[in-house]
Amino acid sequence: MANYLIVGGSSGIGRALVDLLLQDGHQVHVWARESRDLPATVSFTAYDVTGEEDPPKDQLPDALDGLVYCPGSIDLKSFRSLKAPAFREAFDLNVVGAVRCLQAAERAMKKSGAASVVLFSTVAVQRGMPFHAAVAAAKGGVEGLTRSLAAEYAPVIRVNAIAPSLTDTPLASKLLSTEEKRQASAERHPLKRVASPDEIAAMAAFLLSDRAAFVTGQIMGMDGGLGAI
Ligand SMILES: NC(=O)c1ccc[n+]([C@@H]2O[C@H](COP(=O)([O-])OP(=O)(O)OC[C@H]3O[C@@H](n4cnc5c(N)ncnc54)[C@H](OP(=O)(O)O)[C@@H]3O)[C@@H](O)[C@H]2O)c1
């Protein structure tokens, strides 16, 4: 049994990952603003990663085997209407929030002796897409953070990121709110569909596990082929 912290484990991909980890018998800790429908076996702490409060590191176990940071944004607007605060907000949520959680958990992860970190980027870093300037700039920061920390934390802690394309979660609900939008999004992908939270969560669970023990510093594209074909 391992101890994992899922920041943003109350919805979408993070919530699907919580279920997978519980099924495998792990102890799961979740930090998010709301607990929603998390099972009682999860250790939940209310925490806003963009707030004034320091991360609740006293709630962590002595040794932590992995941390997954899920909070993220999709603020799609023309570059002209994306003002500086929108870029700051995206950076704060996607990068600075992750930095704070990672620094809070560093000692416990080092104590585990072989911990794994999973961060989230987006296909819009690899492939230029209109209206994605704020999220692409922030997630580009996440990819840089991933490689820097993979170098700095090796060989004790592995650090990887997943770069999904459109995934059917509450975050993407506006983009998938009608059958027409869903169909148009599916058509843009070589694999002709959008992703399910379960399949993205399965990659996160793999990266956390010992089966990925030789994988670090990688950005795993999970985008139905959109980023490469
Ligand atoms: N869905 C997509 O199409 C898609 C595509 C590309 C990349 N991604 C990336 O994949 C990751 C997961 O996305 P998702 O679709 O699963 O998102 P989601 O359904 O919105 O879930 C996000 C989770 O983060 C938590 N969270 C959000 N803001 C927070 C804050 N300020 N403090 C603490 N917790 C916070 C949410 O809980 P609370 O609201 O209760 O705090 C929730 O548990 C994100 O980084 C996203 O950018 C998603």
Side-chain angles (χ1 to χ4, degrees):
M1 184 207 73
N3 263 295
Y4 294 120
L5 169 63
I6 315 300
V7 183
S10 60
S11 168
I13 296 166
R15 180 67 179 81
L17 177 61
V18 166
D19 283 342
L20 281 182
L21 297 174
L22 290 176
Q23 273 164 32
D24 287 345
H26 300 300
Q27 179 64 50
V28 181
H29 307 259
V30 168
W31 294 352
R33 289 169 301 183
E34 286 176 42
S35 62
R36 301 171 209 262
D37 64 341
L38 282 170
T41 47
V42 169
S43 155
F44 174 79
T45 306
Y47 174 58
D48 181 346
V49 298
T50 60
E52 297 291 311
E53 307 267 308
D54 287 334
K57 67 176 174 190
D58 52 325
Q59 301 297 320
L60 290 176
D62 199 35
L64 186 67
D65 303 293
L67 184 161
V68 182
Y69 184 86
C70 302
S73 47
I74 312 184
D75 190 10
L76 304 188
K77 291 196 184 110
S78 69
F79 183 57
R80 206 161 61 130
S81 50
L82 279 171
K83 304 299 179 205
F87 282 85
R88 285 198 196 99
E89 256 170 51
F91 197 77
D92 208 24
L93 182 65
N94 288 283
V95 181
V96 181
V99 166
R100 296 172 81 193
C101 293
L102 284 159
Q103 288 179 342
E106 183 178 304
R107 184 201 289 251
M109 288 197 291
K110 285 192 169 152
K111 201 147 191 192
S112 114
S116 169
V117 170
V118 181
L119 305 176
F120 280 93
S121 180
T122 165
V123 66
V125 174
Q126 166 77 18
R127 180 177 168 143
M129 294 180 183
F131 312 123
H132 282 67
V135 65
K139 294 296 198 184
V142 170
E143 294 197 7
L145 183 68
T146 301
R147 294 195 184 95
S148 293
L149 288 186
E152 197 167 325
Y153 278 161
V156 180
I157 305 173
R158 296 181 295 106
V159 185
N160 295 286
I162 299 173
S165 184
L166 205 53
T167 305
D168 194 355
T169 71
L171 184 67
S173 59
K174 266 202 212 152
L175 303 172
L176 296 171
S177 56
T178 65
E179 200 39 52
E180 290 72 32
K181 286 184 186 176
R182 192 173 278 273
Q183 201 51 43
S185 295
E187 278 305 315
R188 276 200 296 277
H189 294 81
L191 294 184
K192 300 298 174 202
R193 65 179 178 84
V194 301
S196 78
D198 290 344
E199 59 196 343
I200 308 293
M203 173 63 86
F206 168 72
L207 289 171
L208 285 177
S209 77
D210 285 346
R211 281 167 293 185
F214 206 48
V215 182
T216 195
Q218 300 302 309
I219 313 298
M220 315 298 276
M222 290 198 75
D223 54 24
L226 190 62
I229 300 174

